[in-house]
Amino acid sequence: MSAITADVPAGTASRGPGRVLQPRIDIAIRLVVAWHVVAALVFGWIAWNIFGAIWQLESLPRTAIGVASVVGIVANLAAAVLLVRSHRRGRMLSFTVNYLTLIVVIVLLFQSLNLASFLDDFAAAFNAAFLPFIGMAVAVAWLVLARRLEARLSDGQRTDVPGWLTTTVAAMRWVGIGAIAVFGVAWLVRLEPWNLASLLVEKFGESPGINTAYTVALVALLWCTITMWSQRAAMRFDTSAEQLESQSGWLFLSPNLIGFLLFFAGPLIFSLVISFYDWNGLTTPTFVGFGNYTETLGLTVAGTADELPAGYEDILGAPFGVIGASDPLFWRSISNILQFLILAVPLAVIPALVLATLINTGYRGTKVFRTIFFVPAVAGVIGVTLIWKQMLNSTVGFVNWFVGWVNGIVNAMVPGDPMPVPVEIGWLSDPSVALYAVVLVFAWSQFGFNTVLFTAGMQGIPKELHEAAMLDGAGAWRRFFSITLPSLRATTFFVVASTVILALQLFDIVYALNQPNPVGFPDNATLTPVVYLYQLGFQQNAFGQASAVAWILFILIFSLTLLQFRRQRRYAEET
Amino acid sequence: MRIRSSVIAGVGVALLLSACGSTTSNSSSSSAAPESSAAPESSAAESSEAAMETVDLRWRTRPDNQAEADLYAGISDDITASGIGLNLTYEPGNSEGSPYQDKLKTELSAGTAPDVFWIPGTDIADFAKAGLILNAAPQAAASGFNPADFYAGPMDQLQVDPATGQKADGFIWGVPRDVSTFALYLNLDLIDEAGAEDPRELAANGEWTWDKFAEVSQQIADNVPGSKGFGAGGWWANWGYFVNSAGGSFYNEDRTACALDSDASIAGLTFYQDLYASGSGVPFGEDAEPPFKAGTLGMFINGRWATPGAREITSFNWDVAPLPTGAAPGKDWLFWGAYVVNANTANPDAAWKLVEALTSTEVQDKVASLGANIPSRTSQEAIDAFLTYTPPANNQAFVDGIQNDPVAEGPLWTGSWPAFDKASGDEVTALMTGKITIDEFQKTICKAAAVAWE
């Protein structure tokens, strides 16, 4: 331990207050080292229980906790050793290990004390005391105002302030203070914090041993974290200003980063892991390697459907025979989504470009239209889709009524065989048109947002380009194709790429349109890869295979986006 | 130093708030507790001892509407206040974009599901086989629970030994919350305008057959422009009724194989196909509720759960009639769902007490009064009370459906219901949309459905 003081870099201690505080920080660092040793022992005890099968856990949590405990041992020992050697990295490692462990302990204590339920109680008490709270807030605002007025009146340069005004403002201040006191007492009386405190004590008492351990760990970790972050520790380990700035940045970033890792990257990796398992989501998973992937993607070729191997169904006739698939529904979903892409993306992009051009002309009322067009982008998808579902109803829906009305007009104007009136197109029940209904709703829900993007892109085009073209005699069409469209290349790329990604992830519209029938209805005509993985996971309880489908879809989306990026880059380089 | 401390404190608070936002509320009583899973063997003495203290329990059921959600919350408070030693937290289990079963399965997987929850009858076998719900036979025996108080169809399925797939002593997987049957919701004004016979009178005279049904449907479609004779949903129970009513069945007798290719099943589906082919109905798979509410649909097959929606109709007179009779009389579906106990509950005895309280005559009466449910108790008292909950005036049609040899919607103990549902649904849709013929259907259906037993 003596190495701590012996290895202090020359000159570090002489900087500012660090010199005076040197002995205190050395003692603190020794305590932190001792804490790391204790923490390593605790992690060792956890690892012992896990790997010694003393705690009976399922394989996945067992692996996760086991790995975490080993990482905990190594990290704490490494931090202790680096601190003892006064290595610069020791401070950051120690801080990071303590900070992350602190978060884990806070979550464990939160769970152990059932603080979610306590927060409910607190929210109920807060609601009961809401009026005095508002009164207190208004009184605080009043006091701040009075203080500001007072400060302005007491400005030394002002000599013309009447005495009554000064008295009034002073009275205002006292009224504010009095109101804060009255409302504050009323708030406390209504809030009954003593009840909340006793509730917390009661929850603590339900598992006193474990809660005490968590609390002790929390206090120790908090102290260690603050100590290692302190300026004294930074100076003690010769941390430069740039490093401190960088570390502050990471610290501010950490809530979001940890949230991202836990709630986005974590589930992502988890789904990748379970894609190699046969798992119903409820019982112990069985490792199947790439079984889910081969089952999903399996294709074969045979002369006739009868010659296909067992477990394969023909999905496509070919000149040389038939193509069979081990999972025909997956390939049906891929076929559907490709058809959907071809139809939906142009419908969501081209009208948006046209509308953006009209909006950009600057006619009166364009702002109103721009707002109206944006409505689908902010409206709830499920709610909007349910309205579309009513409109697409084959017997009483507006869409068929409208088609019938148009047919009536055509019949009146054009001689020959009359077109049907009324019409009964089964937008939601006829397999030959059901996908078009989904295309319609998707395009409608997307084109407003795309319009706004194009409008923003158009507003970035220099007006001089258009003016010069006009002087050269270019008409509106020529200017649109020669100036507007090429200038919008980056915007168009973004619009198309984001629309393609959204289209490939299609789920909610299909789900809502299909109710109360099974998703993918009718005859799997609206089955998309995401709908299919939902079906596999939540309806067939095949979470392993559902995860495999999710990762195959990820690769598909990634490949298409990469292709678009490369084409965009090549085009930019060529021009 | 102070600034740095503030930074750390701020970040800590931010993390804590993030954790608050994403942490599911979890009663200490419901978390997976390995040491407590042996509790099913606790004795009756322990049960009465547990009754002395107040036990915190979370429970959940799927309400059909906000009125039901409010009612269940009130029932929960009433049970808590009744002094039987239960402190309940009711969690309505449905929200937009988060269907009931999806959320429940996720919570079961995470070990955070409530102590007592409701599941549809078709899910019972899958949940029991996966060890997710408690066999409450010891608790039931200790409390003197009598399965005969409830309709036999659901209760038989709740007493199955998963090892054999057959009813056996020593198994109680739950208690039915309520039951329902299909009926025909009638637009009386439209039927009258079409000059068709009243299905209620035909049923009373024993003349309400498939042929009459097709005839009335055609008359409505032909005689009232812009109207349709009948409508039904695209899901399994709708076409399944005609299979059952023709004397067919989904499964063979011991439910170990598909029976949809039997001649009787095919006869039922042939009639159903012809009915749609006649053009008198709302196209197969279209939601029939909007045209019925719009007043352009004469007859609409649906369960009791459609009654609250129908009660909003003010533009025409409506009522209900029994489903038309085929070769096999009766055979309406008996839909049901059950309250079950989480296998990982820390308080199995208290949880069972809650199940009994939630299925008491008094509670079922309250729920049935809202119109969407029929009590699962067989007592005359329960039926008499149900008959008073009008409209519809002809509540007897539902009671007849329950009492006239119904087919209880069934979990598949020896196979997988979701797999059977998916495979058979796809084949029937292919048949009804003209992709395959009835002969092709007969050849392929049971090969496709065999996946349920693989």
Side-chain angles (χ1 to χ4, degrees):
Chain A
M1 207 52 86
S2 60
I4 289 174
T5 47
D7 291 349
V8 176
T12 308
S14 64
R15 287 178 201 156
R19 179 180 186 135
V20 180
L21 300 171
Q22 180 75 31
R24 279 178 59 189
I25 191 65
D26 284 345
I27 295 167
I29 290 170
R30 281 177 191 156
L31 288 172
V32 174
V33 169
W35 168 254
H36 279 301
V37 174
V38 171
L41 289 172
V42 172
F43 278 115
W45 173 73
I46 294 170
W48 173 264
N49 281 288
I50 291 287
F51 295 116
I54 298 166
W55 292 347
Q56 297 292 326
L57 296 172
E58 300 284 352
S59 66
L60 282 177
R62 186 168 155 263
T63 309
I65 297 173
V67 169
S69 58
V70 170
V71 170
I73 296 167
V74 173
N76 276 289
L77 290 177
V81 169
L82 291 174
L83 285 180
V84 168
R85 291 185 176 178
S86 290
H87 197 286
R88 189 181 293 171
R89 286 181 183 166
R91 172 178 162 269
M92 244 358 257
L93 180 62
S94 171
F95 172 79
T96 308
V97 169
N98 285 320
Y99 178 60
L100 293 177
T101 316
L102 175 67
I103 293 163
V104 173
V105 169
I106 287 172
V107 172
L108 289 173
L109 189 62
F110 191 92
Q111 193 74 6
S112 176
L113 290 177
N114 194 11
L115 282 183
S117 138
F118 174 77
L119 285 179
D120 282 346
D121 296 327
F122 177 76
F126 191 84
N127 275 348
F130 190 64
L131 281 179
F133 178 79
I134 289 292
M136 201 164 60
V138 171
V140 168
W142 174 277
L143 181 63
V144 169
L145 185 69
R147 293 288 298 268
R148 286 197 174 178
L149 280 173
E150 216 168 16
R152 188 173 287 184
L153 292 177
S154 61
D155 186 345
Q157 293 177 347
R158 300 191 66 164
T159 54
D160 55 343
V161 179
W164 63 266
L165 189 56
T166 311
T167 313
T168 306
V169 172
M172 275 178 68
R173 176 161 55 90
W174 283 109
V175 167
I177 292 169
I180 289 173
V182 170
F183 282 117
V185 170
W187 184 62
L188 285 175
V189 168
R190 296 293 296 273
L191 188 69
E192 298 179 332
W194 44 90
N195 281 350
L196 293 171
S198 68
L199 198 64
L200 204 57
V201 169
E202 188 185 316
K203 287 180 183 298
F204 194 93
E206 285 173 8
S207 307
I210 194 76
N211 287 335
T212 305
Y214 286 151
T215 309
V216 168
L218 188 141
V219 171
L221 285 162
L222 195 60
W223 181 82
C224 289
T225 308
I226 292 171
T227 300
M228 296 318 293
W229 185 254
S230 70
Q231 198 175 5
R232 288 174 297 153
M235 291 175 69
R236 170 70 180 74
F237 285 88
D238 200 22
T239 311
S240 67
E242 290 78 20
Q243 286 169 331
L244 277 178
E245 198 175 335
S246 161
Q247 289 160 7
S248 298
W250 280 105
L251 186 62
F252 275 110
L253 195 63
S254 62
N256 204 6
L257 190 65
I258 292 168
F260 171 81
L261 290 173
L262 278 179
F263 301 114
F264 189 82
L268 211 64
I269 293 166
F270 180 70
S271 82
L272 180 64
V273 171
I274 63 167
S275 71
F276 298 106
Y277 284 84
D278 180 11
W279 189 43
N280 65 7
L282 304 168
T283 50
T284 308
T286 310
F287 185 72
V288 292
F290 283 94
N292 288 324
Y293 290 92
T294 52
E295 168 69 22
T296 304
L297 294 169
L299 289 174
T300 189
V301 177
T304 64
D306 294 335
E307 292 170 15
L308 286 169
Y312 282 80
E313 280 181 39
D314 64 310
I315 57 167
L316 192 65
F320 46 80
V322 294
I323 298 174
S326 54
D327 187 353
L329 285 179
F330 170 75
W331 290 105
R332 179 74 191 270
S333 76
I334 293 292
S335 161
N336 287 344
I337 203 67
L338 291 178
Q339 290 177 54
F340 179 80
L341 269 185
I342 292 166
L343 295 168
V345 174
L347 267 178
V349 174
I350 296 170
L353 183 61
V354 173
L355 279 172
T357 308
L358 291 175
I359 285 172
N360 209 41
T361 52
Y363 289 129
R364 188 177 286 179
T366 50
K367 284 184 180 171
V368 175
F369 281 105
R370 192 166 53 192
T371 309
I372 292 170
F373 295 146
F374 196 62
V375 167
V378 291
V381 176
I382 298 291
V384 164
T385 308
L386 290 177
I387 293 170
W388 271 103
K389 194 180 156 206
Q390 294 281 327
M391 290 173 43
L392 290 164
N393 188 285
S394 73
T395 53
V396 292
F398 173 78
V399 175
N400 275 351
W401 173 85
F402 180 74
V403 174
W405 179 73
V406 171
N407 283 358
I409 293 173
V410 171
N411 289 343
M413 297 172 69
V414 181
D417 291 340
M419 297 176 81
V421 179
V423 293
E424 266 187 21
I425 302 168
W427 295 103
L428 306 175
S429 58
D430 183 347
S432 61
V433 295
L435 195 63
Y436 301 143
V438 183
V439 167
L440 183 67
V441 180
F442 176 84
W444 179 85
S445 66
Q446 292 302 316
F447 91 101
F449 187 62
N450 290 346
T451 302
V452 172
L453 291 176
F454 277 128
T455 307
M458 284 176 184
Q459 284 168 356
I461 301 172
K463 285 182 181 167
E464 293 79 12
L465 289 177
H466 281 279
E467 287 166 0
M470 284 169 77
L471 287 174
D472 288 344
W477 286 106
R478 180 62 191 246
R479 276 183 281 126
F480 176 77
F481 284 107
S482 299
I483 298 173
T484 308
L485 214 49
S487 303
L488 281 176
R489 195 187 312 124
T491 310
T492 308
F493 166 71
F494 176 75
V495 167
V496 171
S498 58
T499 308
V500 165
I501 291 171
L502 282 171
L504 285 169
Q505 293 175 334
L506 181 70
F507 173 76
D508 40 14
I509 292 173
V510 174
Y511 182 86
L513 279 181
N514 280 161
Q515 297 298 320
N517 294 316
V519 284
F521 192 87
D523 195 28
N524 297 311
T526 57
L527 189 74
T528 65
V530 180
V531 170
Y532 183 51
L533 76 89
Y534 166 79
Q535 221 173 44
L536 283 171
F538 285 97
Q539 294 179 342
Q540 316 264 343
N541 298 333
F543 282 94
Q545 200 187 346
S547 297
V549 171
W551 278 93
I552 293 166
L553 181 63
F554 165 76
I555 292 165
L556 181 68
I557 293 174
F558 185 79
S559 307
L560 277 176
T561 311
L562 193 68
L563 197 68
Q564 284 176 305
F565 263 105
R566 290 207 167 163
R567 281 184 63 84
Q568 160 76 2
R569 193 180 300 163
R570 191 182 303 163
Y571 186 77
E573 284 167 2
E574 285 170 4
T575 55
Chain B
M1 174 66 188
R2 186 176 293 172
I3 294 170
R4 294 231 172 119
S5 302
S6 305
V7 168
I8 293 173
V11 172
V13 169
L15 277 164
L16 186 60
L17 288 175
S18 307
C20 294
S22 57
T23 306
T24 309
S25 172
N26 181 18
S27 160
S28 59
S29 62
S30 65
S31 56
E35 68 275 13
S36 63
S37 55
E41 293 167 14
S42 58
S43 64
E46 284 169 335
S47 291
S48 55
E49 203 173 282
M52 301 286 194
E53 345 173 316
T54 298
V55 177
D56 291 339
L57 290 180
R58 290 164 55 220
W59 72 284
R60 180 180 303 166
T61 189
R62 187 180 71 184
D64 280 338
N65 48 53
Q66 189 54 46
E68 269 194 21
D70 295 341
L71 182 69
Y72 283 124
I75 287 167
S76 189
D77 292 342
D78 290 347
I79 294 173
T80 298
S82 68
I84 59 170
L86 301 178
N87 182 28
L88 303 181
T89 304
Y90 167 62
E91 301 169 358
N94 218 2
S95 61
E96 185 183 300
S98 175
Y100 183 86
Q101 277 108 313
D102 298 354
K103 187 177 176 187
L104 184 63
K105 284 177 186 173
T106 308
E107 290 182 350
L108 284 164
S109 181
T112 58
D115 301 276
V116 169
F117 50 86
W118 173 92
I119 50 175
T122 45
D123 280 353
I124 292 286
D126 291 332
F127 278 60
K129 285 186 284 187
L132 301 172
I133 55 176
L134 183 79
N135 173 15
Q139 285 77 13
S143 69
F145 173 76
N146 182 9
D149 289 343
F150 297 85
Y151 287 105
M155 249 359 276
D156 286 352
Q157 293 298 330
L158 286 164
Q159 297 177 81
V160 170
D161 176 359
T164 62
Q166 302 300 319
K167 183 183 172 186
D169 289 339
F171 293 93
I172 297 283
W173 295 108
V175 181
R177 181 189 75 173
D178 50 49
V179 293
S180 188
T181 51
F182 268 157
L184 269 175
Y185 286 74
L186 307 173
N187 181 332
L188 299 176
D189 294 353
L190 205 58
I191 291 168
D192 186 48
E193 192 181 343
E197 291 178 88
D198 188 331
R200 294 172 301 176
E201 290 172 14
L202 289 167
N205 298 333
E207 297 168 5
W208 188 225
T209 60
W210 283 7
D211 290 340
K212 274 288 179 190
F213 174 58
E215 188 184 317
V216 171
S217 176
Q218 198 65 54
Q219 279 179 304
I220 295 168
D222 291 346
N223 298 345
V224 185
S227 293
K228 291 289 181 187
F230 82 98
W235 53 288
W236 58 268
N238 294 274
W239 52 266
Y241 167 71
F242 290 90
V243 168
N244 294 337
S245 180
S249 173
F250 280 16
Y251 321 120
N252 63 0
E253 195 138 331
D254 58 359
R255 292 178 175 240
T256 54
C258 156
L260 280 170
D261 60 353
S262 70
D263 288 344
S265 298
I266 294 298
L269 284 167
T270 304
F271 172 79
Y272 201 55
Q273 196 186 23
D274 291 345
L275 198 60
Y276 275 103
S278 72
S280 70
V282 172
F284 175 77
E286 285 283 338
D287 190 356
E289 195 158 3
F292 183 73
K293 284 187 170 177
T296 60
L297 176 61
M299 298 180 289
F300 171 34
I301 299 175
N302 214 332
R304 179 69 187 184
W305 55 83
T307 294
R311 284 178 178 174
E312 293 166 4
I313 295 169
T314 54
S315 55
F316 59 87
N317 293 305
W318 66 277
D319 201 354
V320 294
L323 294 184
T325 304
K331 301 295 182 188
D332 199 343
W333 285 110
L334 185 58
F335 301 105
W336 59 282
Y339 285 118
V340 295
V341 176
N342 186 339
N344 281 329
T345 182
N347 300 287
D349 294 344
W352 175 254
K353 191 192 288 185
L354 173 58
V355 169
E356 289 200 304
L358 290 171
T359 52
S360 66
T361 306
E362 186 192 356
V363 168
Q364 293 206 338
D365 197 33
K366 281 182 189 171
V367 177
S369 68
L370 287 180
N373 305 85
I374 303 170
S376 60
R377 285 181 172 269
T378 55
S379 68
Q380 192 57 43
E381 183 191 355
I383 292 169
D384 290 345
F386 169 73
L387 290 172
T388 64
Y389 302 136
T390 57
N394 190 22
N395 273 329
Q396 187 63 42
F398 289 105
V399 176
D400 290 347
I402 293 171
Q403 295 180 337
N404 192 11
D405 192 20
V407 179
E409 70 166 318
L412 202 47
W413 286 94
T414 56
S416 162
W417 163 257
F420 182 84
D421 182 24
K422 172 72 182 152
S424 60
D426 283 354
E427 289 290 308
V428 170
T429 305
L431 170 71
M432 299 304 294
T433 53
K435 193 177 167 187
I436 56 173
T437 65
I438 191 74
D439 293 333
E440 288 167 332
F441 176 87
Q442 190 167 19
K443 282 179 194 158
T444 58
I445 176 62
C446 283
K447 282 182 194 164
V451 69
W453 287 273
E454 284 172 3

